[in-house]
Amino acid sequence: MDRRTTRQSAARPAEQPTRIHAVGPRGRGAHRLIGDALRAAVPGDTVVVDPGRYEEAVVLERRVVLVARQGSGTVVLAAPAGAGPALTVQGPDCLVRSLDIEAADPGEPAVSVAPGAGVVLAHCTVRGGRIEVRGPERAEQDGPGEQDDAQGTSAVLLRHCRLEGARLAALRLSGGARVRAEDTVITTVDGTGVVLSGTARLDAVRLRLESTTGSGIRLRGRSRLRLGDSVLHRTGRAGLLLEDDSRAGADGTRVESAGAAGVQVTGSARAELADCRIGGAGASALVVQDEGRLVARGCTVREPAANGLLATGSARAELTDCRLDDCAFSALHLSGEADGTLTDSRVRGGAEHGVHLAGRARAALTDCAVSGVTMAGVAVTEQSAATVTGCRISAADTGVTVSSPAGSRIAHSTVTATVRSGLEIGPGAKAELVGNRVSGAGAAGILLDTGSEVTVEGGTVEDSAGSGLVVWTGARPVVGGLRIEGAGKNGIYFAQDSGGLLTSCDVVRSAFPALHLAAGAGPRLRRCRVLDCAEALGGEEGAAPVFEECDLGDRPAPPSAAPAPFGLPAGAPALPPAALAPAGPPPEPAEEHLDDLLAELGTLVGLDRVKHDVHSMVKLMQAVRLRQEAGLPAPPLSRHLVFAGNPGTGKTTVARLYGRLLKALGLLRQGHLVEVDRSALVGEYVGHTGPRTAAAFNRALGGVLFIDEAYSLVPAAGGHDFGLEAVATLVKLMEDHRDDVVVIAAGYPADMARFIGSNPGLSSRFTRTLLFEDYRAADLVAIVEHQAQEHRYELTETAREQLLRHFETVPRDAGFGNGRSARQTFQEMTERQAQRMAELGNPTPGQLTALEAEDLPPLG
């Protein structure tokens, strides 16, 4: 009987034994074609295929097992041109093991699973075509975890499979398809890696998806996705894209080097991320648009080309215990009517703001930390509003700046070591400041600008370089219980026509008069005290303050309801005329001596070649100055430099010292450093770049403009780019201000030649390159030891030896940061030591300062 005529789909009787059908290109009793064996099989049979290439399109119509006799890589099932998929599954509960399956066209299905069918693909490779799973549409309830008992759904299990070389998509699910993928690789796709639509579901564990020209995974309709311990790497567009009303959950997943967003949520889609890492995104790492929702817990974002999180429209984002490091734009940017919640999270480094709110956005930050951002830690603009509670902001340009009248609240937060003001409330803005601590601000501790509406309850301002509290023209705050200590200028500065009510406030040890009152200033002070200040009052004629039960140092003020002349308490002795003089600028800092600066250069760790080059340039410039003083023409000298080196090799430190050296030589007026990168120079639309570049350049006049990663201004692939406009603007400005600014272009050695060659004007101005070599292991140990001394720690001898071996063996790959890696190592050592001390219960002072070998972080 010809077995090809056996096509019944009825189940085999229980007593009938399972049959095995052999397939081989030759051999007695074997089928020549896989299709012949399948037609001869009945449910429960097994088809075993000998090694070879079989060019046919086969159909699994019943429950059978199809397996390569000698395992993976020995059997190729290839669809002939025009024959459709190489493998079509129409029956339930099929198993295909260890086959290589090839499509005739990479844009067509290699495997097609019909509605209601089911198959397990184990240890299979699908090449040059996609797997397509179709299922019937069905109503879907919200939530990714409900049981699916619908009849007729397609069910597929991919286990240890590889999908490669497809076009358009490698895995496409539609309708009510259900797919689970375990330990599967999807790679080299000319299009999107995985596409889900309808009510399809994909549950993937240990999926690795890489090298797609489109998005990694795209969800449409009401589809659902669950990812666990997976990797999405080098996608051409978004790593994970959610549209319409789709849902996705990812746990322990990495999205690396996406060409656009790492995770993008649009429409009314929802995404939940837990313990995920999004690194090196080509745009913003997390994007939430329209009415999308994003919840992220324990996630890390690092080095995106734009924002860490971008939320627009009516989007909602909730981040808990997350880290956002080194963002090229603001770490979090919310606009439109977006709403964000950030809890117990940290922003570290970044070219713009830590958190930037615009439009009518709202954000609540609780127990968060922001450090090392170029602009404001938190910026509240337009009609937006923020609630900041228990947060820590350090080493930002400004701690918190509010320019919105919508009303923001900053409470129980700490702002330290800002370049400018600690807390700044802009013109017409509204804010409530409660129990905050501002320490070490580079300008005013708290600045309340014109017409701002502010209440201050409690808190301290410590060691600000400017005045502790500045109340500008027209501002009338209500301030209670504020303590201002160690201000570098006035304790409180009242500008012209300012006022307000201050109750129970203390000013302690201000360098200038405790209170400065400009003409027309009329604040009311109740029960306020001036302590340990050389002078209590200073300012201008025409001020009319009111003092009630105040203590101005050694002159306690009796009750007074009417302003005394210049606001002095009734009966108090007159102050000398000097006290009424306006608080002028602080004295000019002492001039730095060239020998001291060169000695400071010598104390830097490593950098022997750089130190030699700088010494040589200093001698040359000294000779130039002597010739000028003698009335001789100066030789041609370009002071602009290229700093070529990997990250963390001290380029910024040397640039700052170079500016001070030029000032000491009399070749620069100020010698200050202005550090910028592409994001600070290049605009977002036509006509934006030139003014933006000019503004950065003008800030550097009299000093040094340091352009980090300067090569990023020049596209590697050529073509038009706004960065080229920035380069052209820089060349013109360098010519117009050739004697009043020094420009240093810094970046990777291999890329700086491209930057210099992008414009003829650059090559004539940048004639000298300083090469910053990577630190040796011993140099890195010295950096750690320097950090330890600054923070009153000490490495044991064993720890020092182990640390040297650590740096000798640590991989020096793209993630290695030279000096930055050394500082990070020190930080990790202190954290690990702190955990040890907590376990000891009552450590000795020696134990508290000692860093042991066991405190070293593990490699890897």
Side-chain angles (χ1 to χ4, degrees):
M1 173 177 153
D2 187 350
R3 285 180 293 178
R4 286 177 294 181
T5 64
T6 307
R7 298 179 59 87
Q8 72 265 24
S9 60
R12 177 193 306 278
E15 65 276 5
Q16 185 174 349
T18 298
R19 295 184 301 173
I20 296 177
H21 304 269
V23 178
R26 55 186 176 274
R28 188 172 182 180
H31 297 278
R32 297 295 183 270
L33 298 175
I34 298 173
D36 291 344
L38 290 173
R39 283 187 287 270
V42 298
D45 283 356
T46 297
V47 175
V48 180
V49 186
D50 286 340
R53 181 180 180 86
Y54 299 83
E55 296 193 358
E56 53 181 309
V58 302
V59 180
L60 300 181
E61 298 179 300
R62 54 189 67 87
R63 179 173 55 86
V64 296
V65 175
L66 177 61
V67 59
R69 185 186 299 276
Q70 295 184 17
S72 299
T74 63
V75 173
V76 177
L77 174 60
L87 176 64
T88 299
V89 182
Q90 296 178 347
D93 302 327
C94 299
L95 170 62
V96 179
R97 180 185 294 273
S98 303
L99 264 63
D100 288 5
I101 305 171
E102 296 182 359
D105 186 314
E108 297 297 327
V111 177
S112 176
V113 181
V119 64
V120 175
L121 296 177
H123 300 277
C124 291
T125 296
V126 178
R127 187 178 296 113
R130 66 179 177 270
I131 296 177
E132 184 169 275
V133 186
R134 294 170 290 121
E137 294 288 351
R138 59 184 287 265
E140 187 78 14
Q141 298 178 350
D142 286 340
E146 72 271 15
Q147 294 296 321
D148 177 21
D149 56 1
Q151 298 297 318
T153 57
S154 303
V156 175
L157 173 60
L158 305 177
R159 180 171 289 160
H160 295 283
C161 289
R162 182 180 180 90
L163 286 63
E164 62 183 22
R167 191 172 68 238
L168 304 180
L171 176 61
R172 177 177 292 173
L173 285 62
S174 62
R178 301 292 182 265
V179 174
R180 178 174 174 83
E182 300 174 358
D183 301 291
T184 290
V185 174
I186 298 175
T187 184
T188 320
V189 182
D190 184 10
T192 303
V194 180
V195 177
L196 290 80
S197 61
T199 58
R201 284 191 194 167
L202 173 63
D203 185 0
V205 180
R206 296 177 299 280
L207 171 70
R208 183 173 181 89
L209 186 152
E210 60 183 359
S211 301
T212 67
T213 61
S215 297
I217 302 177
R218 181 182 183 186
L219 285 76
R220 304 179 63 186
R222 290 173 292 141
S223 58
R224 302 290 186 266
L225 169 70
R226 178 64 62 183
L227 280 177
D229 298 322
S230 297
V231 177
L232 310 181
H233 186 217
R234 292 203 312 270
T235 58
R237 296 184 182 175
L240 176 59
L241 174 61
L242 285 77
E243 300 175 292
D244 305 326
D245 193 30
S246 59
R247 303 283 189 274
D251 190 348
T253 291
R254 291 189 293 123
V255 182
E256 298 286 346
S257 303
V263 177
Q264 183 173 357
V265 185
T266 67
S268 57
R270 307 285 189 275
E272 294 188 12
L273 311 178
D275 299 317
C276 294
R277 296 172 56 189
I278 298 93
S284 296
L286 304 171
V287 177
V288 196
Q289 300 169 303
D290 306 322
E291 296 179 354
R293 301 290 184 269
L294 171 70
V295 176
R297 295 184 176 87
C299 296
T300 299
V301 169
R302 59 175 180 79
E303 298 180 348
N307 305 109
L309 167 70
L310 173 64
T312 63
S314 300
R316 300 289 182 271
E318 177 183 329
L319 276 62
T320 303
D321 189 23
C322 292
R323 288 182 54 173
L324 300 95
D325 293 344
D326 299 320
C327 301
F329 292 179
S330 298
L332 292 93
H333 181 94
L334 283 70
S335 63
E337 296 185 353
D339 190 295
T341 301
L342 193 68
T343 305
D344 194 23
S345 296
R346 183 166 71 175
V347 172
R348 187 172 62 181
E352 293 188 355
H353 304 290
V355 178
H356 185 195
L357 307 182
R360 297 182 179 274
R362 298 291 184 269
L365 283 70
T366 304
D367 298 329
C368 295
V370 179
S371 64
V373 296
T374 303
M375 300 172 73
V378 178
V380 186
T381 66
E382 298 179 359
Q383 299 294 317
S384 61
T387 300
V388 180
T389 306
C391 294
R392 304 172 305 283
I393 300 170
S394 62
D397 182 74
T398 305
V400 178
T401 175
V402 179
S403 59
S404 165
S408 294
R409 187 174 193 269
I410 317 300
H412 309 296
S413 296
T414 300
V415 179
T416 60
T418 55
V419 176
R420 301 193 216 180
S421 303
L423 301 175
E424 184 174 310
I425 313 303
K430 182 177 181 180
E432 180 182 4
L433 311 178
V434 180
N436 300 297
R437 175 175 175 258
V438 178
S439 176
I446 301 175
L447 170 60
L448 311 180
D449 214 329
T450 303
S452 57
E453 185 178 340
V454 181
T455 61
V456 180
E457 299 177 14
T460 61
V461 178
E462 305 165 4
D463 302 323
S464 59
S467 297
L469 171 64
V470 175
V471 183
W472 206 244
T473 303
R476 287 171 172 76
V478 177
V479 182
L482 179 66
R483 180 180 176 89
I484 299 169
E485 185 170 352
K489 293 186 179 179
N490 303 108
I492 305 176
Y493 183 102
F494 290 98
Q496 185 176 8
D497 298 324
S498 63
L501 173 63
L502 282 72
T503 305
S504 301
C505 296
D506 291 346
V507 178
V508 183
R509 297 196 328 273
S510 62
F512 285 26
L515 306 176
H516 172 88
L517 297 119
R524 182 180 296 270
L525 295 93
R526 294 176 179 166
R527 298 184 297 279
C528 294
R529 299 187 301 174
V530 173
L531 306 172
D532 299 328
C533 297
E535 298 178 80
L537 300 175
E540 305 167 1
E541 295 291 342
V546 175
F547 294 93
E548 301 176 2
E549 303 178 59
C550 293
D551 181 358
L552 303 182
D554 59 352
R555 293 178 297 277
S560 172
F566 190 66
L568 289 177
L575 294 174
L580 306 183
E588 287 292 325
E591 290 291 329
E592 295 184 297
H593 195 275
L594 184 62
D595 291 340
D596 295 335
L597 294 173
L598 290 175
E600 183 178 338
L601 175 67
T603 63
L604 299 180
V605 174
L607 303 177
D608 294 339
R609 181 171 177 177
V610 171
K611 293 174 186 176
H612 176 270
D613 290 344
V614 172
H615 275 275
S616 298
M617 288 188 296
V618 167
K619 292 178 181 177
L620 175 61
M621 288 183 284
Q622 285 178 308
V624 169
R625 188 180 63 178
L626 291 173
R627 287 179 61 87
Q628 290 174 330
E629 292 173 352
L632 298 173
L637 172 66
S638 176
R639 299 175 297 177
H640 309 301
L641 298 173
V642 173
F643 282 8
N646 291 322
T649 49
K651 297 188 293 295
T652 306
T653 300
V654 174
R656 185 173 287 108
L657 190 55
Y658 183 62
R660 293 163 60 197
L661 283 165
L662 292 179
K663 183 178 187 298
L665 287 166
L667 299 177
L668 283 178
R669 291 183 289 112
Q670 294 175 295
H672 65 294
L673 182 81
V674 174
E675 184 177 357
V676 298
D677 59 10
R678 177 185 170 92
S679 65
L681 303 177
V682 177
E684 301 173 1
Y685 48 84
V686 175
H688 192 199
T689 295
R692 193 166 185 170
T693 301
F697 191 93
N698 289 336
R699 292 199 305 272
L701 288 176
V704 175
L705 179 66
F706 182 82
I707 308 174
D708 197 16
E709 297 182 352
Y711 55 83
S712 64
L713 296 172
V714 182
H720 179 72
D721 183 88
F722 288 153
L724 297 176
E725 181 183 348
V727 170
T729 303
L730 285 170
V731 169
K732 183 179 185 305
L733 291 170
M734 290 166 69
E735 176 63 26
D736 294 343
H737 303 276
R738 66 169 71 98
D739 296 325
D740 199 27
V741 76
V742 166
V743 179
I744 297 177
Y748 291 105
D751 295 312
M752 292 308 296
R754 186 177 82 244
F755 169 73
I756 299 301
S758 67
N759 187 300
L762 292 179
S763 57
S764 63
R765 288 168 175 82
F766 290 98
T767 59
R768 184 186 293 267
T769 297
L770 270 61
L771 181 61
F772 287 70
E773 298 173 334
D774 288 344
Y775 285 116
R776 298 165 299 179
D779 296 331
L780 297 174
V781 172
I783 293 173
V784 172
E785 288 191 298
H786 178 71
Q787 292 279 308
Q789 291 170 2
E790 282 193 345
H791 295 84
R792 298 185 66 183
Y793 287 92
E794 184 175 353
L795 274 71
T796 66
E797 188 60 35
T798 303
R800 188 177 293 105
E801 294 172 358
Q802 292 290 341
L803 183 62
L804 179 62
R805 283 195 286 270
H806 173 86
F807 284 131
E808 287 173 343
T809 57
V810 69
R812 299 208 172 199
D813 52 19
F816 179 70
N818 279 287
R820 184 176 67 243
S821 293
R823 291 186 290 272
Q824 290 171 347
T825 298
F826 169 70
Q827 180 179 345
E828 291 184 49
M829 291 179 71
T830 60
E831 291 173 355
R832 293 167 68 89
Q833 190 249 28
Q835 293 175 0
R836 284 198 301 108
M837 295 302 101
E839 295 172 358
L840 290 179
N842 189 24
T844 66
Q847 289 174 318
L848 287 171
T849 59
L851 295 176
E852 304 282 358
E854 58 193 293
D855 298 323
L856 265 70
L859 283 174

